[in-house]
Every structure is written in C-alpha cells, then in structure tokens.
Amino acid sequence: MTAFSYQLYSSRNFPPLGDTLTMLAGLGYAQVEGYGALVADPDAVTALEVALKDAGLEMPTSHVGLDMIQSDPAGVAQIAKRLGMRTAIVPYIMPDVRPTDAAGWSAYGAGLESAAKALAGHGVGLGYHNHDFEYATLADGSLPIDHLLRNAPSVVYEFDVAWAVRAGADPMDTVAQHGSRILSVHLKDIAAPGENEDEDGWADVGHGTMDWAALFAAFKAAGTQYFVAEHDNPSDHQRFARRALASAQSF
C-alpha cells in the first residue's frame, strides 16, 4: 500500500497551514512535502513541527534552497531532525544563475555533489527537483538534466514529470536512463489545450492528458519511494487534494 504525499506549496494560497494539514490527514494522506518558506526561519520550523504532530502527518522530504544548504548544512540537518525529514530537495535554479551550456550544467552538478556530501555527513540526503528548462535541448543536442545528474552521483532525483512533458520530453526516457535515481515523483497533470487557463493549464492528476496509470507503474517498477501530489496553481486546493489522492489510489 503506497503512502501518498502532498506538496504543501500547492496550498500556499489557502492558509492557515494547520487547517490544510488537518484536511489532508482527513482525506487519507500519510505524508506531506515542505517548501522553502516553511523551513526558512526558526519560527516557521516551530509552527510546522507543531502542526505536523497535531495532524499526525510525516514529512520525509522538503524543498530547501541550495544557498541555505551550502551555507549551513549542519543547521539544515537540525531542521531535518526536528521535522523527520530524510531528504532535502533543491527545488529551482533562478534564471540569473542558471547554466546555459553543458560545461555549466556539469559544474552545477558538481556543486550539488559537494552539498550532498556535506549533508550526508549529518545524516541527511540531497535531491534535485526539475522544471522545464532542464529538458530544453542545449546547442550540442544534450539535455541539462543528464549533465547535472551525471556529475552529482550522490544526489537523488525528484522527477516533476509534467514539467518535463511541457518541455517536449518523453518521461519514459528519463525512467530508462535515471530510474534508479528517482526517489520521488510529483503527481501533476496537464490540461487539454484551452482548458484550466485560470490554473495555468495544469490539471489534477488523473484529470488531464497524461497517461498516469502507465507512468505510475513504470515508477513503481523503478523503485520510486515517494509519490507527491502537486498543483502549481489550484483554484480549490481541497478539490485538488481529494481528486489527486483518489486518482493516485486507482493507478
């Protein structure tokens, strides 16, 4: 029986956090995934720690900014211990520091590897989460994500499949090449053209255009541990949470 998780960024526009966690536990989620603002300062960590205990939810993974990890790996590890987090996941590369060629992406991967080793010394793993730009073909025909992962062998992968599909990638290629590295998957879907424009064209998983039943089976076969429902901009987070969990349980 898979214990499904929920990326709390999906509910950032629907405070308070405690009510969101209570709602998720009531629906049947066992886990949640944090994001940067929830672990950025001591007060936020304390509030999240209390809210998780009150709701009876676990948080094995969380997005954490790379700058925070590099500047204070011991501090990140302390936060992880308090929240029960086993893996910190780098969520995004800002455009002004984003690599533009194979050498740059290789160097970025090497930087992630150094951060992973620093965190590992404190008993915490490091992962990386993609968007679409990691799947934009470089001038030499290669993909950024391949250079990044090749140069960061200690880093696990959180695969945001729908972002890769938006970039024109076949997610099964990533499963074939990096399947053993995929620790977690974001369960997100893409709406049919012209639909859900108020939600930036995203759809609740299982209610869009992607073949999630086949994808889910491939990830399970590859050994993926965490399946995390996410929607970047839901108009109703309760609807999304409910439908995403029902779909995931049917795969």
Side-chain angles (χ1 to χ4, degrees), residues 100-103 105-106 133-148 150:
T100 58
D101 57 19
W105 281 102
S106 295
F133 54 84
E134 294 91 346
Y135 286 86
T137 304
L138 298 172
D140 64 358
S142 62
L143 291 179
I145 192 62
D146 294 333
H147 296 293
L148 184 155
R150 187 178 304 117

Side-chain angles (χ1 to χ4, degrees), residues 3-108:
F4 292 102
S5 185
Y6 181 94
Q7 170 49 258
L8 292 171
Y9 186 78
S10 308
S11 294
R12 69 196 180 281
N13 295 324
F14 301 92
L17 175 63
D19 288 354
T20 294
L21 295 177
T22 298
M23 179 264 291
L24 294 172
L27 288 173
Y29 286 92
Q31 303 167 348
V32 294
E33 181 172 81
Y35 63 98
L38 298 180
V39 298
D41 61 67
D43 289 343
V45 172
T46 298
L48 178 56
E49 183 180 18
V50 171
L52 286 170
K53 288 181 179 178
D54 287 347
L57 292 167
E58 297 181 349
M59 198 183 80
T61 62
S62 179
H63 288 185
V64 182
L66 181 58
D67 289 348
M68 184 175 175
I69 295 168
Q70 290 175 325
S71 64
D72 188 12
V76 171
Q78 281 297 110
I79 291 170
K81 183 178 180 180
R82 290 176 62 184
L83 300 175
M85 176 180 28
R86 295 187 283 276
T87 305
I89 299 172
V90 175
Y92 189 67
I93 308 176
M94 295 298 290
D96 61 330
V97 295
R98 194 176 297 163
T100 58
D101 57 19
W105 281 102
S106 295
Y108 186 85

